[in-house]
Amino acid sequence: MTEKAVEALVVRADLALDTMHLASEGLARLRITRHSADGLVGVTVDSTGAMVGLELAEDLSRQSARKLTESITEVAAAAARDALDQRRRILERMRSSLSAT
């Protein structure tokens, strides 16, 4: 292998590492927050869709436990769907970038 070929290989490897590092950072930082239509529930999830935060309105006295549970579940599911969609986009960009390298 010639010196130029080795240099080109090193440049491609550096670009690939940079691409993977950026994707990893993007996934680590990814947080999605969604709120219920009535504003009583807010859920934050990470890039895997796992709940990392829950906000509840101060006055929930007019909400039944069943309705509150449904609201939390619905908002968490919507946030998780959005997070997983964003995660898919990040990974697709990484894959495309790596294919181009």
Side-chain angles (χ1 to χ4, degrees), residues 3 7 13-14 19 26 37 45 50-51 59 64 74 83 95-96 98:
E3 187 175 330
E7 286 176 14
D14 283 342
T19 297
V45 299
M51 186 187 305
D59 182 12
S64 69
E74 288 170 9
R95 187 176 47 94
S96 293
L98 290 173

Side-chain angles (χ1 to χ4, degrees), residues 1 8 36 38 42 51 63 73 81 83 101:
M1 194 176 252
S36 59
D38 58 13
M51 186 187 305
Q63 284 290 97
T73 302
R81 278 191 304 273
T101 342

Side-chain angles (χ1 to χ4, degrees), residues 13-29 90-91 94 97-98:
D14 283 342
L15 288 172
L17 284 173
D18 288 345
T19 297
M20 288 185 284
H21 183 70
L22 288 172
S24 177
E25 284 181 343
L27 292 173
R29 284 192 316 265
I90 289 170
L91 293 174
M94 181 188 75
S97 219
L98 290 173

Side-chain angles (χ1 to χ4, degrees), residues 34-51:
R34 294 294 174 257
H35 292 90
S36 59
D38 58 13
L40 297 178
V41 174
V43 173
T44 301
V45 299
D46 67 11
S47 66
T48 67
M51 186 187 305

Side-chain angles (χ1 to χ4, degrees), residues 1-16 101:
M1 194 176 252
T2 68
E3 187 175 330
K4 285 188 180 194
V6 170
E7 286 176 14
L9 184 60
V10 168
V11 167
R12 285 184 22 214
D14 283 342
L15 288 172
T101 342

